[in-house]
């Protein structure tokens, strides 16, 4: 198999890159908006980043069920929604900066709780998203189909 060079990837998958960029722009704008709406003073628990990452984890779990079971052949949905929108909406870098900010504010216990709690609750959120996705599929498959 030939190794993919960046130039070849760009030439062969430019449409996917554009879809990811568009989704990333939308997700980043949504993250910025939520951050503005839930702004907290320095040294306080970073509610916005926590909410963004947990919502993104839940939605990613839900989305993966639907993308694999309902829309497996949709070329642009996964790059747009999962990589673009949710990748732009969630933020590992801000999570790390928030943790550093809590440490700098003299709140090591809160920083440690935030650091570990985000990972733990994020994993639970993905699991919950998968469960909700599977349940929703089970319900929609039992509904009578109209128009056939």
């Amino acid at each position: 198999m030939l190794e993919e060079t960046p130039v070849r990837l760009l030439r062969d998958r430019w449409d996917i890159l554009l879809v990811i960029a568009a989704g990333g722009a939308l997700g980043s704008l949504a993250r910025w908006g939520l951050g503005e709406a839930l702004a907290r003073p320095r040294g306080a628990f970073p509610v916005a980043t926590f909410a963004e990452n947990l919502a993104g984890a839940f939605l990613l779990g839900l989305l993966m069920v639907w993308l694999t079971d309902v829309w497996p052949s949709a070329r642009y949905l996964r790059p747009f929604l999962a990589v673009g929108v949710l990748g732009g909406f969630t933020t590992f870098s801000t999570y790390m900066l928030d943790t550093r900010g809590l440490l700098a504010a003299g709140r090591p216990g809160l920083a440690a709780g935030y650091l570990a709690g985000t990972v733990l609750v994020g994993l639970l959120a993905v699991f919950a998203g998968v469960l909700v996705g599977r349940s929703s599929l089970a319900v929609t498959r039992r509904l009578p189909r109209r128009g056939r």
Side-chain angles (χ1 to χ4, degrees):
M1 180 156 109
L2 293 175
E3 193 171 315
E4 301 250 9
T5 64
V7 172
R8 186 173 178 176
L9 277 172
L10 187 58
R11 185 189 69 226
D12 294 346
R13 298 184 186 165
W14 63 269
D15 56 334
I16 298 293
L17 294 174
L18 287 176
V19 166
I20 291 170
L26 292 173
S28 296
L29 284 172
R31 176 170 34 99
W32 174 81
L34 186 59
E36 290 295 307
L38 300 177
R40 295 284 188 260
R42 232 181 153 168
F45 185 81
V47 174
T49 307
F50 188 74
E52 292 155 4
N53 287 335
L54 295 186
F58 175 82
L59 291 171
L60 188 61
L62 180 70
L63 185 62
M64 287 301 108
V65 170
W66 280 82
L67 286 174
T68 56
D69 290 354
V70 179
W71 307 302
S73 62
R75 177 173 168 84
Y76 297 117
L77 278 179
R78 183 175 179 179
F80 177 73
L81 294 173
V83 180
V85 174
L86 293 179
F89 184 69
T90 59
T91 173
F92 186 77
S93 58
T94 304
Y95 162 60
M96 289 296 109
L97 284 172
D98 288 342
T99 302
R100 182 191 173 284
L102 290 170
L103 288 170
R107 309 209 49 203
L110 185 57
Y114 174 62
L115 189 66
T118 297
V119 172
L120 178 64
V121 179
L123 289 172
L124 292 172
V126 170
F127 183 69
V130 169
L131 289 178
V132 169
R134 288 183 180 158
S135 298
S136 67
L137 283 179
V139 168
T140 57
R141 287 181 178 151
R142 280 187 256 146
L143 294 175
R145 294 183 186 236
R146 293 169 41 181
R148 280 190 159 185

